[in-house]
Amino acid sequence: MLYVGRIAKINFDMEPIKSPEITDSSQRKFTEKDFQKMPDDLIWKSFCKGNESTFNYIYKNYASDLYAFGYQFCGDSHLVEDCIQNVFIYLRRKRSSLSDVKSIKSYLFRCIQSEIIKRLKERGILVDMDHLQYKKAFSISLSPETILIESESQERKKKMVNLALDKLTVRQRQALILLYEEEMSYSEIAEVMGFSEVKSARKLVYRALASLKEVINPF
């Protein structure tokens, strides 16, 4: 079992920005139970029509995940918080003209990633997804349940596996995190990582797992 070395999610229960325009059709207030029964595409359409309760739900339901993902990307908490605000401000301003969305989470992850890359470039930092300057980007390690340390031999095995994890590219580690930690489908992973075809995401994950199995299987 793998687990992501991510920071704890923070609470984003802050006051939302007031919506400039809300049409009569957007006045209905949905409850948490309502949202749990609604597919993402309908929630997104409600948001695009100006429904305030839907915006609040999206913000509170995903802001913490965006923060954890963004921090994995750059390790700068202040930058990530600013980018999250910028993303939601932009989405609220442009929501009447936004395209349809099937997965809100993968769409927002793609947005926050793009915003962080833009802000880093403004600082003169060139972003290469396979060689990010943040050395701990998308770090992965073994969970305590995976390898029980009972002897010096097992300790060596754990070090070898962790070394294999460290040798994965940033993109491979990111794909594994999205698949196992964020529980995204290959289609959603492809959207976040900017692949035009789902098979590219699947191939990236398979290659990452194959690299790990070369080390893990002998155990």
Side-chain angles (χ1 to χ4, degrees):
M1 176 181 179
L2 298 177
Y3 81 102
V4 179
R6 64 192 295 174
I7 60 172
K9 296 179 181 179
I10 61 174
N11 184 12
F12 275 88
D13 289 332
M14 57 184 70
E15 286 297 322
I17 308 157
K18 294 299 182 182
S19 176
E21 291 184 2
I22 301 178
T23 62
D24 291 339
S25 61
S26 68
Q27 292 298 325
R28 177 183 173 185
K29 288 187 178 181
F30 294 101
T31 66
E32 188 73 20
K33 290 184 178 180
D34 290 330
F35 289 122
Q36 291 174 359
K37 297 176 182 178
M38 294 169 63
D40 276 14
D41 60 336
L42 292 184
I43 294 175
W44 189 254
K45 287 179 180 179
S46 174
F47 160 67
C48 292
K49 290 180 180 179
N51 188 289
E52 191 68 7
S53 64
T54 306
F55 173 81
N56 291 339
Y57 168 78
I58 293 174
Y59 187 87
K60 291 182 178 180
N61 198 50
Y62 294 105
S64 183
D65 286 333
L66 290 175
Y67 179 87
F69 177 77
Y71 190 87
Q72 285 275 1
F73 193 91
C74 67
D76 186 332
S77 59
H78 294 298
L79 173 62
V80 175
E81 289 174 4
D82 288 344
C83 288
I84 290 172
Q85 292 292 337
N86 289 345
V87 165
F88 278 100
I89 289 173
Y90 172 82
L91 292 177
R92 165 166 261 156
R93 184 181 300 131
K94 299 290 185 178
R95 61 183 172 187
S96 62
S97 59
L98 294 175
S99 58
D100 293 340
V101 166
K102 293 183 179 180
S103 169
I104 295 174
K105 187 173 187 178
S106 60
Y107 177 81
L108 292 178
F109 271 38
R110 179 66 176 169
C111 288
I112 192 66
Q113 180 172 282
S114 298
E115 182 67 17
I116 290 174
I117 290 175
K118 183 180 75 172
R119 292 289 297 276
L120 290 175
K121 287 183 177 179
E122 290 173 355
R123 296 180 178 182
I125 300 175
L126 297 178
V127 180
D128 180 346
M129 285 302 300
D130 283 324
H131 301 91
L132 290 177
Q133 294 189 19
Y134 179 48
K135 300 302 181 183
K136 295 183 180 180
F138 301 104
S139 58
I140 302 175
S141 60
L142 290 177
S143 68
E145 296 81 9
T146 304
I147 298 180
L148 299 176
I149 308 302
E150 297 177 354
S151 67
E152 183 179 346
S153 175
Q154 286 177 317
E155 177 66 25
R156 286 199 301 270
K157 291 175 183 177
K158 180 179 178 182
K159 288 181 179 179
M160 291 177 65
V161 174
N162 280 329
L163 180 62
L165 288 167
D166 290 340
K167 287 184 177 180
L168 294 178
T169 67
V170 174
R171 296 283 274 178
Q172 287 175 327
R173 295 200 302 271
Q174 183 185 15
L176 291 180
I177 287 173
L178 294 175
L179 180 65
Y180 292 109
E181 177 69 12
E182 302 298 342
E183 299 181 343
M184 289 188 176
S185 66
Y186 286 110
S187 177
E188 292 171 327
I189 294 172
E191 179 179 8
V192 173
M193 302 190 73
F195 295 133
S196 58
E197 297 182 343
V198 176
K199 65 180 181 181
S200 297
R202 187 177 289 108
K203 186 181 298 183
L204 183 63
V205 170
Y206 287 172
R207 287 177 177 173
L209 294 176
S211 297
L212 295 177
K213 286 179 181 178
E214 290 179 2
V215 178
I216 296 174
N217 278 345
F219 302 164

